[in-house]
Every structure is written in structure tokens, then in C-alpha cells.
């Protein structure tokens, strides 16, 4: 079993839809959980950062962590064409991050 | 404030050639990282550094070398380029410690033919 599993997509939705992106992991030592957004031909940029279980909201984005199930999610409300990108989950136990493979999201007008 | 700057943006190498990918950051970050990203494969850590003079191997270090003589710079060296090193390379930095909010450069697209 890989340390971090993420469905590569692509996930296609119409503008205004609610999007759910997910990752599962196997390493119980992971304590910090992040979501990065990567536009085509650009470097990843941090979108959400959470520590421990629970929810964190920032505008249209909500990050959810369930450490008991080793499952994290990113919800995007009222999705926009500008949200079209690859979303990478990442998690950390110490000095380095382990990334998922990324989910490509396409939001059509 | 430029953030993390990578050069060059694109490069084509012949098998066996050598090159250095440059990375510099102006945020006074202690931790710096080199990742490679292959299509559909996510980001794989090559090397990282927790401060000047200190480097450590990541998940895929074979065929690469690094040095960290200053806080700002973290170059990545390819000694004998191989087709398997065709990839997009990203440099990243962070304050370190428990702060894992990485700031990434815009990447170097490398092709080895």
C-alpha cells in the first residue's frame, strides 16, 4: 500500500458545483496535512494547511481531516473555471512532505 | 520580494552531459528542497537541506548531487544525464521546523535525449 493515495482524475464538473477531493494515507505518524493547487506549467502553491483532525474553512474552500480513518478531503463550493488545476494533497510527520499524485480538476463554464 | 527563483526554465541535454539547476530564495528560509515531477506521478523528493552546509537524501537521490554553501542558494547537479532524468524539477523552501508551508519555484523542464 502506498503511503498516500489520491485519485488522479480528471474530475470534470460544471461551474457552480460542489467539488470533493480526497486522499487516504497509511502512515499514522502524519500530523500536518496540506492541499496544494498547481496550475499548468506552474509550481504548486499552498491552498490549505491543517493540523490534527477537524475542519478548516477559508472562503469557498474547506479542508477536512479524519485521522482515525486516515482520510483527508478538500471541498470547493461554487466552483469556478479558475479553479481548474491539479490539486495535490501533502502530509508530514517530520522534516519532509509526502505528496499524493494529484487530482486534475476541470470546471466548465 | 522574488520568492523562490529557478533557472533555467527549459533545457535539453544529451545523454552523458552535465548541468546544474540553480535555485535561490530571498525569504531567509532555512529549509530548501528539490523535487522532480513526472506526469501522473506527483512530486518525489530528491534532496533537501535544513541549513547552510547540511544536506540529506530524499526518496530519489541517485544521479544527483547538491550543495548548500549559503542560506539563499541550493543548486542541483546532474553529472551524467540519462533519459530517466527527463522531468520537471521544482525547488522549494520553508522556514522549517513544524512549518511545512512550502514555497515553490516555477520549475525547470529538463529533457535528456
Amino acid at each position: 500500500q502506498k503511503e498516500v493515495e489520491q485519485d488522479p482524475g480528471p474530475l470534470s464538473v460544471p461551474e457552480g458545483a460542489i467539488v470533493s477531493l480526497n486522499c487516504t494515507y497509511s502512515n499514522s505518524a502524519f500530523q500536518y496535512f496540506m492541499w496544494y493547487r498547481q496550475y499548468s506549467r506552474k509550481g504548486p502553491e499552498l491552498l490549505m494547511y491543517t493540523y490534527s483532525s477537524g475542519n478548516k474553512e477559508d472562503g469557498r474552500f474547506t479542508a477536512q481531516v479524519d485521522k482515525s480513518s486516515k482520510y483527508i478531503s478538500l471541498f470547493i463550493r461554487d466552483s469556478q473555471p479558475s479553479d481548474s488545476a491539479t490539486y495535490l494533497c501533502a502530509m508530514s510527520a517530520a522534516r519532509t512532505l509526502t505528496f499524493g499524485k494529484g487530482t486534475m480538476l476541470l470546471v466548465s463554464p | 520580494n522574488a520568492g523562490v527563483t529557478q533557472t533555467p526554465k527549459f533545457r535539453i541535454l544529451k545523454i552523458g552531459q552535465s548541468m546544474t539547476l540553480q535555485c535561490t530564495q530571498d525569504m531567509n528560509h532555512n529549509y530548501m528542497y528539490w523535487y522532480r515531477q513526472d506526469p501522473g506521478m506527483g512530486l518525489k523528493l530528491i534532496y533537501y537541506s535544513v541549513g547552510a552546509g547540511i544536506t540529506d537524501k530524499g526518496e530519489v537521490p541517485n544521479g544527483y548531487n547538491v550543495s548548500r554553501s549559503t542560506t539563499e542558494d541550493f543548486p542541483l547537479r546532474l553529472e551524467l544525464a540519462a533519459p530517466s532524468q527527463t522531468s520537471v524539477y521544482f525547488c522549494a523552501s520553508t522556514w522549517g521546523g513544524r512549518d511545512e508551508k512550502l514555497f515553490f519555484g516555477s520549475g525547470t523542464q529538463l529533457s535528456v535525449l
Side-chain angles (χ1 to χ4, degrees):
Chain A
Q1 183 184 9
K2 296 189 191 305
E3 265 199 310
V4 179
E5 300 269 12
Q6 184 176 11
D7 188 330
L11 177 62
S12 295
V13 300
E15 184 176 355
I18 296 174
V19 175
S20 172
L21 304 168
N22 311 294
C23 287
T24 60
Y25 63 95
S26 58
N27 188 346
S28 299
F30 288 142
Q31 298 183 56
Y32 304 91
F33 304 90
M34 286 136 278
W35 287 94
Y36 283 82
R37 178 175 62 195
Q38 184 176 23
Y39 290 113
S40 181
R41 301 186 183 278
K42 300 288 187 183
E45 55 180 343
L46 182 68
L47 194 59
M48 297 288 284
Y49 175 92
T50 55
Y51 171 67
S52 76
S53 288
N55 292 357
K56 182 175 182 179
E57 189 173 321
D58 184 2
R60 297 184 294 110
F61 300 90
T62 299
Q64 191 173 78
V65 175
D66 183 347
K67 293 182 76 176
S68 62
S69 301
K70 298 188 178 66
Y71 188 87
I72 69 170
S73 299
L74 177 71
F75 298 96
I76 306 174
R77 292 183 298 279
D78 188 25
S79 57
Q80 302 295 309
S82 58
D83 295 328
S84 298
T86 296
Y87 292 79
L88 299 137
C89 64
M91 37 202 86
S92 171
R95 292 179 171 180
T96 61
L97 290 182
T98 300
F99 284 87
K101 292 184 177 182
T103 299
M104 182 183 293
L105 172 65
L106 303 170
V107 182
S108 55
Chain B
N1 191 341
V4 179
T5 302
Q6 288 184 241
T7 56
K9 293 192 182 303
F10 304 94
R11 184 74 184 267
I12 298 175
L13 283 182
K14 295 182 179 179
I15 295 171
Q17 285 186 320
S18 300
M19 78 162 295
T20 299
L21 282 66
Q22 301 292 343
C23 175
T24 187
Q25 51 92 8
D26 61 359
M27 298 173 283
N28 203 31
H29 285 168
N30 291 320
Y31 284 43
M32 295 187 74
Y33 304 81
W34 274 106
Y35 289 90
R36 60 177 287 171
Q37 186 175 38
D38 300 313
M41 296 301 293
L43 289 158
K44 300 293 185 185
L45 181 64
I46 304 171
Y47 271 96
Y48 68 101
S49 168
V50 301
I54 306 169
T55 61
D56 210 346
K57 295 178 180 179
E59 186 180 355
V60 289
N62 291 344
Y64 307 94
N65 278 300
V66 294
S67 60
R68 183 94 182 272
S69 58
T70 66
T71 299
E72 296 78 20
D73 301 307
F74 190 41
L76 177 72
R77 179 83 178 160
L78 283 70
E79 291 294 347
L80 292 170
S84 61
Q85 293 177 306
T86 294
S87 188
V88 181
Y89 292 84
F90 289 101
C91 178
S93 71
T94 183
W95 289 110
R98 290 184 177 271
D99 186 340
E100 301 292 354
K101 301 174 188 178
L102 290 181
F103 292 82
F104 281 85
S106 56
T108 295
Q109 186 167 333
L110 176 68
S111 295
V112 182
L113 305 175

